[in-house]
Amino acid sequence: MTTGPAAAKYRIGAQIYTRIPSRLYPILREMNLGYDNFHKACLNYFDPFNLIFAMAVHEGYQAKIIKIREGEMIHLGSTLTNELTHQPEQTRDLIDSILAR
C-alpha cells in the first residue's frame, strides 16, 4: 500500500492511473502534466509514485539525492521521509547498515 503525506492527502492508491482523478487534474495541468504529457514519456499512464511525486512537488517538497558508493543504488520509500528530513545522521547509519548486508 502506498503511504506518505501526499498519498494520504490526495487519496492516491496503489493502482495504475490510466484516468487522472478529477481532484488531481487541475494540479497536474498547472504542472504541465496530463494525457498529452505524462510524467514519464515512455508511459501512457501515471503510476502511483509519479502522482505522489507530482503532488509532493506541488506541496513544495524537494527531492534529495544521497550519494552512495559508485555503481550502487538504493530506494528509500516514503516511510523514511521524516527521518531523512529531521534525522539525516540516523538515516545515513541505516543506509550503511543496509549496504553492509
Side-chain angles (χ1 to χ4, degrees):
M1 180 164 182
T2 307
T3 62
K9 180 175 180 176
Y10 295 100
R11 300 185 317 272
I12 299 170
Q15 68 272 20
I16 298 295
Y17 288 88
T18 55
R19 295 194 55 173
I20 299 169
S22 59
R23 66 188 173 280
L24 303 181
Y25 186 80
I27 298 168
L28 292 173
R29 190 167 143 215
E30 183 179 299
M31 300 173 79
N32 196 31
L33 296 171
Y35 295 112
D36 58 342
N37 188 25
F38 288 93
H39 193 200
K40 293 180 182 174
C42 60
L43 302 178
N44 62 353
Y45 60 86
F46 288 95
D47 68 32
F49 178 75
N50 296 153
L51 289 176
I52 292 168
F53 190 84
M55 294 305 104
V57 168
H58 171 72
E59 292 281 323
Y61 288 90
Q62 295 180 346
K64 302 287 183 189
I65 296 173
I66 299 172
K67 179 70 175 159
I68 57 174
R69 294 182 203 109
E70 188 67 34
E72 295 180 334
M73 180 187 312
I74 188 168
H75 173 267
L76 300 175
S78 62
T79 57
L80 289 178
T81 302
N82 186 58
E83 288 81 357
L84 283 170
T85 303
H86 298 103
Q87 300 166 344
E89 291 304 316
Q90 289 179 357
T91 301
R92 185 68 211 187
D93 292 344
L94 176 60
I95 292 170
D96 288 341
S97 73
I98 292 169
L99 291 172
R101 293 180 190 170

